[in-house]
Amino acid sequence: MQTFSVLSAIKYQTGHSFLRRTFMTLIAKKSVRDQVYDIIKEKIFNQEYQLGDTINITALCKELGVSNTPIREALARLEAEGLVTATMGSKVNVISLDEKIFTDISTFFCSQILGAFSLCRIMHKTPLLIRMLDEALELQKASLNEENEYHFAFKAIEFDRTFVAATENETMLKIYDSQSSLLYLLTLHTYHKEIKNREENLHQHQIIFDAVKSGDIHKAEELIYHHFDKHF
């Protein structure tokens, strides 16, 4: 396994100690392909690769000290997740966001959350949902004032994900998770760095939780819809 050259690339990541520690923990357990996938993904999330940027595969091979095979395999996974697009000429670009794409992605996740919320009620899993939402909300509160805005974004989408997780339907959760990188990217775009934006996200989650806990279904559904009614 070509560990050292990829590890050097991980150390190269600029200023994101939380992400780097995560990589360091997993490095010995991951294949080169998976390591390359993680590195490219974080380059997108930390905006080293900006929206719409072309990913130079040749330069990336040189930087990471690997052949283009694991890089192309990693890019294929990222394309399946919606984070990059590939053209007929093998040109790979980070996804570009416009109003329609932004709205379509937000609407997709809104429908998933609302559907999961309905299923929890039908399956009498609301008490479990309330407990899980409470735990997720407390973790998000704890991350509010951290310097690492990426950690906050992760905790923010964990709150949303809880609606699906509470159904205890592994297939639903697997499908949701397969597209969650897009939600993470949108969350970073919407709440990136500005503390007031993070506070607004937390406030929205708090009132959604309060509505679910009080049993006000109509209000909870309306709040969830407005929570995802974001614009580019």
Side-chain angles (χ1 to χ4, degrees):
M1 181 182 296
Q2 301 176 46
T3 301
F4 297 105
S5 60
V6 181
L7 178 56
S8 297
I10 291 170
K11 291 179 179 177
Y12 171 75
Q13 300 297 315
T14 56
H16 304 289
S17 58
F18 171 76
L19 298 176
R20 190 165 59 251
R21 285 198 303 273
T22 302
F23 280 136
M24 294 290 283
T25 301
L26 298 176
I27 188 74
K29 300 179 180 179
K30 290 196 172 186
S31 66
V32 172
R33 178 184 59 190
D34 289 341
Q35 292 176 49
V36 170
Y37 162 81
D38 283 339
I39 291 169
I40 298 173
K41 195 171 186 177
E42 293 311 322
K43 283 177 178 286
I44 294 171
F45 286 157
N46 68 30
Q47 299 183 14
E48 185 175 342
Y49 288 146
Q50 298 284 325
L51 296 176
D53 276 359
T54 298
I55 297 176
N56 188 320
I57 295 175
T58 301
L60 198 55
C61 289
K62 183 176 180 181
E63 177 187 333
L64 302 185
V66 298
S67 71
N68 68 4
T69 299
I71 289 178
R72 290 192 177 279
E73 289 174 342
L75 290 172
R77 287 177 63 186
L78 293 168
E79 184 179 16
E81 293 178 9
L83 291 179
V84 303
T85 58
T87 65
M88 292 294 290
S90 298
K91 184 179 179 181
V92 180
N93 293 83
V94 179
I95 185 177
S96 294
L97 292 179
D98 57 26
E99 183 66 30
K100 185 179 186 307
I101 294 173
F102 196 92
T103 301
D104 285 352
I105 295 171
S106 297
T107 302
F108 167 78
F109 282 103
C110 181
S111 68
Q112 297 297 301
I113 300 303
L114 288 173
F117 181 36
S118 177
L119 190 59
C120 283
R121 300 196 308 274
I122 294 171
M123 299 175 66
H124 307 292
K125 292 182 180 292
T126 302
L128 173 62
L129 174 62
I130 290 171
R131 290 197 301 273
M132 293 178 68
L133 286 175
D134 191 21
E135 292 173 3
L137 190 62
E138 290 305 311
L139 290 173
Q140 188 181 356
K141 289 177 181 178
S143 68
L144 177 62
N145 294 312
E146 291 185 8
E147 293 183 4
N148 193 315
E149 66 271 15
Y150 301 92
H151 193 195
F152 176 84
F154 176 76
K155 294 302 180 184
I157 65 171
E158 277 294 299
F159 178 91
D160 300 324
R161 180 181 183 272
T162 295
F163 282 91
V164 183
T167 67
E168 299 183 308
N169 185 309
E170 294 183 5
T171 301
M172 284 181 61
L173 190 59
K174 184 176 180 179
I175 293 171
Y176 184 90
D177 285 344
S178 70
Q179 301 299 314
S180 62
S181 292
L182 278 173
L183 181 58
Y184 187 78
L185 188 63
L186 261 63
T187 302
L188 286 175
H189 178 84
T190 308
Y191 301 107
H192 185 67
K193 294 184 181 298
E194 293 290 338
I195 186 66
K196 65 180 181 180
N197 292 339
R198 283 184 264 169
E199 289 173 344
E200 174 60 23
N201 177 275
L202 182 58
H203 171 68
Q204 291 178 13
H205 282 171
Q206 180 67 63
I207 60 177
I208 288 171
F209 170 71
D210 291 342
V212 173
K213 187 176 182 180
S214 68
D216 192 335
I217 296 170
H218 177 74
K219 182 177 180 181
E221 290 178 334
E222 188 176 71
L223 289 169
I224 291 169
Y225 173 79
H226 286 298
H227 177 62
F228 283 95
D229 186 25
K230 303 292 189 299
H231 299 279
F232 186 66

